[in-house]
DNA sequence: CGTAGTCTTGAGTATCCTCAACGAGGGTGG
DNA sequence: CCACCCTCGTTGAGGATACTCAAGACTACG
């Protein structure tokens, strides 16, 4: 009996290095073993829209792509396991249990996209940033649930939330001044008042 | 050999009638046979966010839901085929071919969510509305690719695009005045200048 | 024909974006 | 070890865009 692990191609990437070229996203499953990645579109006019951040442990399904979506590592030393879609399909057909796992992972990827839709639908910048922090706190489970380490830059966050960098920065400053969070060196965030944060988010 | 069709529960809904109660979205697959539906969250403060419109032919995967997402018919006489998730899983395990179909449908649902993310990420209202029209023209394939019949109200569109009703209305008026589209009675749209519309969308 | 819901338009305001400057941190080379 | 450069992050001022509030037109339906 074959195993998923035998199909894996493990690779290691530096910060900013390409994981999948634009338009090739539907060829492979990816699994983030360590680090973080961003899935994005670069428009011809120079703008960039980040569709999805992939954190440690996340699976990415091979979603069909008409836009030229690319994937890049966010931090140095990001480790990715990639699986050819065809081989995974083949395996799923021979092993019903694995087929179920695959369906499960696909639904989880869809749930992540859905959260992102809710995030983008929030009316104000403060709500977007607040939701984003709560989301990151949930997902980047490193021991304490109120300590977040943001692996991505403010520019990344801005392109993810469809805001300008300045607005992201200002929103964080406002949350800090109101005593809702603390900021240590830009990338380390502590949630002091989760109630208040939840409240921004409805 | 069992067949998917034997598992279907067919039902018929009037405009505004519930198809799935909040939080039950992960129990069933749904397939829109006729009409249209909206998948949405009603926040406690009265706001409503539409995550997804389901048009004729669309499949909806049973995505896990922590928010209380509900589904409603958009037009009278909407016909839905529903399939219990468990039974579908069971069938998929016994028939690899169906398993593949299921994975395919799940990926298509994810691709739809992804398009919605790109839509919400557009900076201006005009781009959002323009993208929305192109999207609808692609999806509601009724003979002519440049004629659209919008089954939903302006309020629905506003909650979908995260804009106010007034802004949606104004954007459509602007597109009309610029000769990009024509409006017949509010719900019927013709695309006159697809190039221009594409251009708004980058 | 009246009513309720939908759609459009207008005026004023709040929010966010753009442009600009400055500060902090990390690497590199002298 | 320090100066320099580069990227990243923050803050300020001014202007553009979308929202809110309000009122009027259109449509569908009883």
């Amino acid at each position: 009996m074959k195993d998923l692990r035998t199909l894996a191609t493990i690779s290691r990437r530096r910060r900013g290095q390409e994981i999948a070229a634009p338009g090739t996203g539907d060829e492979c499953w990816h699994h983030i073993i360590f680090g973080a990645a961003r899935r994005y579109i670069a428009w011809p006019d120079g703008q960039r829209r980040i569709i999805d951040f992939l954190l440690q442990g996340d699976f990415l399904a091979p979603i069909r792509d008409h836009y030229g979506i690319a994937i890049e590592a966010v931090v140095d030393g990001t480790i990715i396991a990639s699986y050819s879609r065809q081989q995974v399909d083949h395996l799923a057909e021979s092993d019903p249990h694995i087929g179920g796992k695959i369906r499960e992972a696909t639904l989880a990827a869809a749930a992540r996209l859905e959260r992102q839709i809710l995030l983008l639908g929030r009316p104000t910048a403060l709500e977007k940033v607040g939701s984003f922090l709560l989301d990151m706190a949930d997902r980047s489970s490193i021991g304490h649930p109120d300590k977040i380490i943001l692996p991505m830059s403010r520019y990344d966050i801005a392109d993810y939330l469809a805001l300008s960098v300045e607005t992201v920065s200002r929103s964080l400053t406002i949350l800090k001044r109101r005593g809702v969070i603390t900021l240590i060196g830009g990338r380390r965030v502590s949630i002091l008042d989760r109630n208040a944060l939840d409240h921004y988010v409805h």
Side-chain angles (χ1 to χ4, degrees), chain A:
Chain A
M1 172 59 74
K2 288 187 78 174
D3 189 282
L4 257 181
R5 269 170 298 181
T6 64
L7 301 180
T9 306
I10 308 288
S11 55
R12 191 168 191 276
R13 295 293 145 84
R14 321 208 59 164
R15 196 167 72 108
Q17 217 180 345
E18 182 176 88
I19 293 171
T24 65
D26 58 346
E27 295 171 8
C28 286
W29 282 85
H30 297 285
H31 176 50
I32 306 294
I33 309 284
F34 175 83
R38 50 180 173 245
R39 212 152 59 85
Y40 69 94
I41 297 181
W43 295 109
D45 64 359
Q47 278 210 329
R48 187 186 64 162
R49 291 260 31 247
I50 292 180
I51 298 170
D52 203 1
F53 286 121
L54 304 168
L55 305 183
Q56 198 165 314
D58 284 341
F59 277 91
L60 175 63
I63 300 174
R64 186 164 292 282
D65 155 28
H66 304 285
Y67 302 96
I69 299 173
I71 313 177
E72 267 180 14
V74 167
V75 296
D76 275 338
T78 295
I79 297 172
I80 313 106
S82 305
Y83 308 84
S84 138
R85 182 195 174 159
Q86 286 192 341
Q87 290 184 314
V88 168
D89 275 349
H90 196 259
L91 190 57
E93 283 176 22
S94 69
D95 182 341
H97 181 68
I98 292 198
K101 289 275 187 199
I102 302 298
R103 286 196 299 279
E104 200 64 47
T106 312
L107 290 174
R112 216 172 48 230
L113 293 176
E114 210 161 86
R115 280 217 292 223
Q116 166 67 348
I117 289 177
L118 291 175
L119 232 171
L120 286 173
R122 307 214 174 268
T124 71
L126 214 54
E127 294 180 35
K128 282 186 180 180
V129 173
S131 293
F132 173 72
L133 291 177
L134 285 173
D135 233 43
M136 291 299 294
D138 278 354
R139 291 174 60 190
S140 69
S141 47
I142 36 153
H144 205 289
D146 289 339
K147 303 251 182 235
I148 314 167
I149 293 178
L150 300 173
M152 70 289 284
S153 71
R154 298 284 189 272
Y155 292 89
D156 287 336
I157 299 174
D159 289 345
Y160 183 62
L161 301 180
L163 296 171
S164 69
V165 198
E166 295 92 334
T167 301
V168 172
S169 186
R170 275 188 256 268
S171 301
L172 287 170
T173 305
I174 290 173
L175 290 175
K176 191 174 69 179
R177 270 210 284 267
R178 293 191 185 166
V180 178
I181 61 169
T182 55
L183 273 170
I184 303 153
R187 299 289 179 97
R188 252 194 296 271
V189 183
S190 288
I191 299 177
L192 296 179
D193 187 348
R194 186 174 273 263
N195 261 10
L197 211 49
D198 277 327
H199 197 257
Y200 286 120
V201 178
H202 281 121

